[in-house]
Structures are given as structure tokens and as C-alpha cells.
Amino acid sequence: SQTIHQWPATLVQPVGSPLSLECTVEGTSNPNLYWYRQAAGRGLQLLFYSVGIGQISSEVPQNLSASRPQDRQFILSSKKLLLSDSGFYLCAWSTGQNYGYTFGSGTRLTVV
Amino acid sequence: DAKTTQPNSMESNEEEPVHLPCNHSTISGTDYIHWYRQLPSQGPEYVIHGLTSNVNNRMASLAIAEDRKSSTLILHRATLRDAAVYYCILSSGGYSSASKIIFGSGTRLSIRP
């Protein structure tokens, strides 16, 4: 069966520090991968999606970047965190439009 | 991306059916209709999706209007665990692998014991 792993579950980082969040998928190959962010009390915002290794599409210009070094690995990064980067970060995968999306358990990031 | 319109909130009684409406008047012929729900402090959970025909699974039923401009998620017998924010979303991108879903504000469903 397919599973998705995200870590860490919670993270507190100072302003200006770097960030690396990792997401891995098991049990499938060539998935579409997605990063979403949910600010406190707000809806989910699509940040990046990837249809293959090294292929990244950015939805919203911001202080973050994404990379996909392996087929089932998706990384969200920042060189210098801002207070506004705080939020609940969710990774998701899908095999296409005709299939549901599976979300990870999320990382709650607090920038202080 | 085609938009969806949902009521901000709804209330229902436990053990009664719940009908959650969604309007998507600008839906294109290749857009799939997806429903997800999100419990507090958790990631969204897939509920159901469909293209033209009504769909049933163990969690819910999806009724799609003949013109596809609206749909209804049906929870047949609500429980307290069904209290969540329910999102109706259109998945764009055709059959290519570039599909993506954009979340709106959803409907906050409350269940009365």
C-alpha cells in the first residue's frame, strides 16, 4: 500500500534561519507531488507541485523553494525564514487527475 | 482555474443525513469534482471524486447535476466524527500528469449530538 511520510511534525525556528522539510512517498512510482501551506485560521495554499524528478512548478512567488532529487522525495526549503512563513505545511501525492490526493500528516512551523 | 462556491457553515444532527452543496458554474468538460475534508490540526482527507456520474463509496455519495454546474456531497448518517471543514474542488489538467487542486474556503460542518 502507498504511504506518505512528512517530518518533522513540529518545528520552531528563528527568523533568518534556513528550513528544510522533507516528504517521501512509498508504494508508488512517478507520483505527482505537492506542497501546501495553511496559515493559522486560513485555507490551504498550493505552493509547489512536481510531475517528475527535477521538475518543479511554483504557484506563488515567495521566500520558499522546492526540489525533487528523487522520484519519491520532495523537499521544501528556505535560505532565510520570515515570520510570515509560519504555518502548517502539507505534502501530498497523486497519480493524476482521475485519482484522489493523499496528504501527509503535516509539519507545523513556527518562526519566532 | 474554475472556482467553486460553498456555504461557509452548516449544522446537522447526529445520525441524520447531510447534504453539502457546491456550485461550479464555470466547470470545464475535463474537470473532475473532488471532495476532501479536514479535521482540526490534521491534513485533508480524500472523501470522493467524480466526473459526470454519481459516485458512491464507504464514506459518502456524490451527486452531480446533469449540467455539471453543481454537485452535492451526501453523508448518509452523520456522526460526531464527521464534524470538519469540507472542501469541494475542481481538479484541472486533463489526463496529463500536471493536474493540481486549489482549495477554497470550504464548508464548516457541525454535528449536534
Side-chain angles (χ1 to χ4, degrees):
Chain A
S1 64
Q2 301 95 347
T3 56
I4 181 168
H5 301 281
Q6 262 190 267
W7 65 92
T10 59
L11 191 59
V12 180
Q13 293 284 99
V15 169
S17 63
L19 173 73
S20 181
L21 301 180
E22 188 163 345
C23 170
T24 60
V25 180
E26 294 178 0
T28 187
S29 60
N30 197 31
N32 297 334
L33 296 172
Y34 306 83
W35 278 112
Y36 286 83
R37 176 173 64 194
Q38 188 170 35
R42 308 290 294 274
L44 288 103
Q45 179 185 35
L46 177 62
L47 301 176
F48 302 95
Y49 68 96
S50 170
V51 301
I53 296 174
Q55 300 179 62
I56 309 294
S57 297
S58 175
E59 285 293 296
V60 183
Q62 58 214 310
N63 184 39
L64 301 168
S65 62
S67 62
R68 185 170 176 174
Q70 299 180 42
D71 181 44
R72 289 168 289 179
Q73 184 185 30
F74 205 22
I75 297 172
L76 183 70
S77 303
S78 173
K79 292 182 179 177
K80 289 185 177 181
L81 284 169
L82 307 172
L83 287 174
S84 57
D85 292 324
S86 294
F88 190 38
Y89 288 82
L90 290 151
C91 180
W93 74 272
S94 173
T95 52
Q97 184 192 35
N98 190 25
Y99 300 90
Y101 287 57
T102 301
F103 285 80
S105 54
T107 295
R108 194 162 300 281
L109 171 67
T110 303
V111 182
V112 295
Chain B
D1 297 308
K3 301 284 188 219
T4 62
T5 304
Q6 300 176 253
N8 289 332
S9 62
M10 289 183 64
E11 273 190 293
S12 185
N13 295 321
E14 194 176 13
E15 299 187 2
E16 290 185 357
V18 181
H19 291 237
L20 296 164
C22 181
N23 288 319
H24 28 79
S25 58
T26 59
I27 191 171
S28 73
T30 57
D31 286 340
Y32 279 77
I33 302 159
H34 287 241
W35 283 83
Y36 291 80
R37 70 181 187 182
Q38 187 177 23
L39 279 66
S41 300
Q42 295 187 27
E45 175 188 27
Y46 167 80
V47 178
I48 201 166
H49 78 286
L51 182 63
T52 56
S53 303
N54 295 343
V55 184
N56 299 295
N57 66 21
R58 64 174 180 81
M59 289 181 69
S61 295
L62 175 60
I64 301 173
E66 196 170 330
D67 64 5
R68 299 211 325 127
K69 293 185 176 182
S70 65
S71 61
T72 302
L73 178 71
I74 303 165
L75 306 179
H76 296 287
R77 196 162 170 267
T79 70
L80 295 178
R81 290 176 296 177
D82 291 322
V85 178
Y86 286 78
Y87 296 97
C88 168
I89 302 158
L90 302 183
S91 174
S92 62
Y95 279 103
S96 75
S97 55
S99 65
K100 58 184 179 182
I101 55 174
I102 307 296
F103 285 82
S105 54
T107 296
R108 184 172 299 277
L109 176 65
S110 302
I111 305 296
R112 290 184 289 258

